[in-house]
Amino acid sequence: MSANRITLRRAGTLTALTAAGFLAAAGVACAHVTVHPESYAKGATDGVLTFRVPNEEDTASTTKVQVFLPTDHPVLGVLVHPQDGWTAKVTTTKLKKPVKTDDGTITEAASEITFTGGKIGAGQYEDFDVAFGQLPDDTGQLTFKTLQTYSDGKVVRWIEEPSAGDEPENPAPTLKLTAGGETAAAAPAKSTSAATAEAADTSDSTARGLGIAGLIVGVLGLAAAAFALVRSRSARS
């Protein structure tokens, strides 16, 4: 085999490995259970949270999703949007510290939402929409610990909270709460379909960004191969 072919093959292999590694890492980062939007204003009212649940298994389907809502900083007025094929059960808990609102004192709030009866297959995801009446105004973030159960009995516990800026292996969906006016989420509440569309737009933007990055990696690899080829010919002449 000629030196030119060896050089081109090595450059092509390096390009393929680099691109594959990049896309694989991106795929892992996007496979977590997440909540959308990523932030809301403190004390926001009449909004929608979308919990996106991707299926990570090739040989099993997701058959149960349990989302746990914090009760130390409760989300008030929780309503679940009907989901085709799924049954939702909302569990309420008596609050240790009642919350005073314009409509009176609230002593109970949702602590868990369990979705069963449906199926998320390999390479698929499901969006679960949850409307709220009011978010707390006395904390900077809300953590929604989530359990994802598969048809083979495996349970993935998305319950870890980030620390010191490091993302854990199984991060819990986390909603940032900001001062009023600092985020678009503080605007009037969107409809369920609008919130889902926004989450999809975010996913599409991420996919386009990954595609562009992959093209850049490919171009750099081809440029390296061409340079090596020219250098090899110059050396022989």
Side-chain angles (χ1 to χ4, degrees), residues 97-231:
K97 183 180 179 181
V99 179
K100 294 182 178 181
T101 70
D102 294 339
D103 298 323
T105 300
I106 306 298
T107 59
E108 291 187 348
S111 58
E112 179 184 346
I113 305 174
T114 301
F115 300 93
T116 56
K119 182 176 69 174
I120 309 174
Q124 299 177 343
Y125 73 89
E126 189 80 62
D127 281 344
F128 297 95
D129 295 329
V130 177
F132 62 83
Q134 183 176 334
L135 295 178
D137 59 5
D138 57 352
T139 185
Q141 70 177 28
L142 295 176
T143 300
F144 301 96
K145 296 182 179 181
T146 302
L147 301 184
Q148 181 178 11
T149 302
Y150 287 90
S151 56
D152 60 1
K154 179 181 178 180
V155 178
V156 180
R157 301 168 61 84
W158 303 103
I159 62 173
E160 300 177 66
E161 299 184 36
S163 59
D166 295 330
E167 185 174 359
E169 182 177 355
N170 294 315
T174 301
L175 178 71
K176 296 180 180 179
L177 297 181
T178 65
E182 289 186 8
T183 174
K190 298 181 179 66
S191 65
T192 299
S193 59
T196 303
E198 179 178 315
D201 289 342
T202 300
S203 179
D204 289 343
S205 297
T206 301
R208 285 194 295 269
L210 293 177
I212 292 172
L215 288 175
I216 292 174
V217 171
V219 170
L220 291 177
L222 290 176
F227 176 76
L229 180 58
V230 171
R231 184 176 179 181

Side-chain angles (χ1 to χ4, degrees), residues 30-36 51-54 56 65 67 144 146-148 156 158 171-174:
C30 296
H32 303 154
V33 175
T34 52
V35 61
H36 304 272
F51 293 90
R52 174 160 293 180
V53 182
E56 295 184 303
V65 177
V67 179
F144 301 96
T146 302
L147 301 184
Q148 181 178 11
V156 180
W158 303 103
T174 301

